[in-house]
Amino acid sequence: MRSIGVIGTTALFLFMGFTASANTRQEKQEEKDKPAKQEQQAKPEKQQQAKRQQEQQHKQQQQQAKSQQDQQRQQQRRQQDDSAKQQQQDKSAKQEQQQQAKGQQDQQRQQQHQRQNDRSAQQRSPEQVHTQQVAWQGDRAHSWQSEHRTWQQRGGYNGYRVPDDRFRVSYGQDHGFRIYSLPVIYVGGHRRFQYGGYWFGLIDPWPEYWSNDWYDRDDVYVDYYGDGYYLYNRRYPGDRIAISFYLN
């Protein structure tokens, strides 16, 4: 019986030794497998992180490409705007040169015409001069301050308007002339003169204090003032006579 007890005890110790050894091996194996499991668990996270980095890089590349395209488009627009601006400047400069050349030609023709008229005026007989003075007296005011009216007082200017480019060529303070040298006609009781390619008529009488032969000796010019066209006498710069333009 003691032999059986010893054998049983021995067997129990052996079994416990085997069990402990097995547990130790299992723990060691689990410790060996633990990094692999951790690596397997970390692998999807690394993949996701790499994917996010790729997406971010792709997005940055797209933004850079879009920024470059925007810069190229802006540069093209600036070049187009600069080109259009230069063309407009060239066109304006050319038009200005043409207008200056035309103005010089017209001025030369007017000066030539003025010299011819001066010679013809010197050749007029005293009888012709007297006849002209008598005709002009009919347009003289008795009291110009009370008889003349501005275009505003007349309800505004409703006659023909000379285009600005043509007006600058022949009219304004820089373009003086003398009326005696111009073609003259009467229409509706008003005297009309042809100058600068247009006919214009005196709507107001001329001031009574002007000289009898002002149309012969005084330089006058036509200008636009506020509400209509007026005739100015350089000798009497404060006066302006309302006039109207006509095509024929």
Side-chain angles (χ1 to χ4, degrees), residues 61-199:
Q61 291 175 354
Q62 287 181 337
Q63 291 177 348
Q64 291 177 355
K66 183 179 179 182
S67 178
Q68 291 177 354
Q69 291 176 355
D70 292 340
Q71 290 178 358
Q72 290 177 354
R73 284 194 292 267
Q74 291 177 359
Q75 185 176 2
Q76 289 176 354
R77 283 197 295 268
R78 284 196 297 268
Q79 291 175 350
Q80 291 174 355
D81 293 341
D82 292 342
S83 178
K85 185 177 180 180
Q86 185 62 42
Q87 290 178 358
Q88 183 63 33
Q89 290 177 349
D90 294 341
K91 183 178 179 181
S92 300
K94 184 177 180 180
Q95 290 177 347
E96 185 176 356
Q97 291 176 354
Q98 290 176 348
Q99 290 178 356
Q100 289 178 352
K102 183 178 179 182
Q104 291 176 355
Q105 292 176 356
D106 291 341
Q107 188 174 7
Q108 291 174 356
R109 285 195 296 268
Q110 291 172 8
Q111 291 175 351
Q112 183 179 3
H113 184 63
Q114 186 71 41
R115 288 193 294 269
Q116 292 174 352
N117 290 330
D118 289 341
R119 288 194 296 270
S120 65
Q122 294 174 358
Q123 296 172 357
R124 285 179 299 174
S125 65
E127 290 79 7
Q128 291 173 329
V129 173
H130 177 71
T131 300
Q132 195 173 36
Q133 285 180 349
V134 171
W136 273 98
Q137 292 305 311
D139 297 325
R140 190 171 195 167
H142 297 286
S143 176
W144 187 74
Q145 293 297 331
S146 60
E147 292 178 20
H148 91 284
R149 289 184 296 167
T150 65
W151 277 114
Q152 185 177 6
Q153 292 171 331
R154 295 174 184 273
Y157 180 78
N158 297 316
Y160 178 79
R161 294 184 180 273
V162 181
D164 291 341
D165 56 341
R166 295 197 61 180
F167 187 88
R168 288 193 296 266
V169 168
S170 301
Y171 303 98
Q173 296 184 15
D174 297 332
H175 301 282
F177 58 92
R178 294 183 181 179
I179 289 180
Y180 76 84
S181 63
L182 305 177
V184 180
I185 59 174
Y186 275 94
V187 178
H190 294 289
R191 192 184 299 265
R192 293 185 184 181
F193 308 91
Q194 189 180 43
Y195 171 76
Y198 295 97
W199 288 89

Side-chain angles (χ1 to χ4, degrees), residues 37-54:
K37 290 180 179 179
Q38 291 177 349
E39 185 177 355
Q40 290 178 355
Q41 292 176 355
K43 187 175 181 181
E45 295 179 359
K46 291 182 179 180
Q47 290 176 349
Q48 291 178 359
Q49 185 177 3
K51 184 178 180 180
R52 287 195 295 269
Q53 289 177 352
Q54 290 178 354

